[in-house]
Amino acid sequence: MKKLMGIDIGGTKCAVLLAEAGAFSDVRFIEKTAFPTDAEKGFNHTREKIFSAVTALTEKYGAGNISAIGVCCGSPLDSRRGVIKSPPNLPGWDNIPITQMLYDCFGIPAYLQNDANACALAEWRLGAGRGAENMIFLTMGTGFGAGIIAHGKIIEGKDGLCGEIGHVRLAPDGPEGYGKSGSAEGFCSGGGIAKLALIMADRWEAGGDAPVWINEKDDMDAKRLAEYAANGDRHAVAVYEKAGE
């Protein structure tokens, strides 16, 4: 069994975890820590939090016992050189040689992949995609993207952008995702679903059918809305039905 570290860099939160892996079906998670990205505070702020979490794990389990570090992040990026290239949800992350920085600091080989591609690979080898030659994994986080497995291979495209479908326009108008209203990201990302809930709640309220969560609408997020939907709230279910459509 090899010890492997994973670093997930998102627009809203980051996570650092350690796992043991043997065969592709034999993975055991050892420890995980998660924290807000605070993207508005810039690269150096988030880098310090990530490296601090990695330091804690290497000191606890020994850097020499960790075979590799896998980093996933939104595109554009250069997976071959391990360089993050200005993702929309990470302002200031311009041409960051993240894998080299990790190797220089910890002496552990590090590798970079688009987050949706990394999720697609994990689902393909470990989850619902096992045995499939072709599959698509959709990410519904701060942004909205896709990882594509075609004929048994990850399709990356230029700068890892092959599956980045968030700016495809689905409707002439609608919730906004990174500056484009009515886009896939506007309707289907975590942030977009919260905005969709706000739009639909205003319409319901104007028609005399306000949701029970109307006073929470300005602070609503996709997770809280999902809790309402799971408990049978018809308005929350309607928002998710619209996102699903």
Side-chain angles (χ1 to χ4, degrees):
M1 298 284 282
K2 293 182 179 180
K3 284 188 173 64
L4 302 170
M5 187 177 294
I7 301 174
D8 175 30
I9 305 173
T12 301
K13 66 180 187 301
C14 296
V16 178
L17 66 83
L18 190 67
E20 282 187 331
F24 279 108
S25 59
D26 186 12
V27 177
R28 181 178 72 88
F29 294 104
I30 299 172
E31 190 169 333
K32 174 185 174 181
T33 181
F35 44 86
T37 304
D38 296 329
E40 71 282 358
K41 296 182 180 179
F43 165 70
N44 285 325
H45 172 82
T46 309
R47 182 199 65 80
E48 289 179 7
K49 295 172 74 174
I50 292 170
F51 276 52
S52 176
V54 174
T55 297
L57 288 174
T58 56
E59 289 180 348
K60 185 173 181 178
Y61 296 96
N65 296 320
I66 300 172
S67 299
I69 300 173
V71 183
C72 67
C73 182
S75 290
L77 53 78
D78 186 330
S79 62
R80 291 172 176 81
R81 294 192 302 125
V83 177
I84 298 172
K85 302 168 70 175
S86 309
N89 292 314
L90 293 171
W93 288 62
D94 304 324
N95 295 312
I96 303 298
I98 190 68
T99 58
Q100 188 64 49
M101 294 172 70
L102 286 164
Y103 181 77
D104 290 345
C105 188
F106 301 103
I108 303 171
Y111 305 89
L112 175 68
Q113 184 55 267
N114 168 272
D115 53 1
N117 289 347
C119 289
L121 177 61
E123 196 69 33
W124 182 47
R125 303 307 284 268
L126 301 172
R130 281 183 294 181
E133 187 177 8
N134 305 286
M135 60 158 279
I136 295 174
F137 183 100
L138 299 178
T139 64
M140 301 173 72
T142 306
F144 184 75
I148 302 170
I149 305 290
H151 304 295
K153 295 181 180 180
I154 293 178
I155 307 300
E156 292 192 67
K158 173 67 174 173
D159 290 336
L161 290 167
C162 182
E164 297 289 6
I165 57 173
H167 268 227
V168 175
R169 192 180 293 280
L170 303 181
D173 198 10
E176 182 180 297
Y178 200 73
K180 179 179 277 189
S181 60
S183 62
E185 185 166 313
F187 278 105
C188 302
S189 68
I193 289 170
K195 293 175 183 176
L196 178 61
L198 183 64
I199 293 171
M200 295 177 71
D202 285 343
R203 292 173 182 168
W204 285 320
E205 185 178 24
D209 184 28
V212 296
W213 40 267
I214 190 67
N215 292 328
E216 301 176 57
K217 66 177 185 177
D218 292 334
D219 298 316
M220 185 62 70
D221 58 25
K223 181 179 179 181
R224 180 70 174 137
L225 191 72
E227 291 170 353
Y228 273 105
N231 289 320
D233 180 85
R234 64 183 176 85
H235 293 101
V237 169
V239 176
Y240 271 100
E241 286 179 340
K242 184 63 177 176
E245 176 192 337

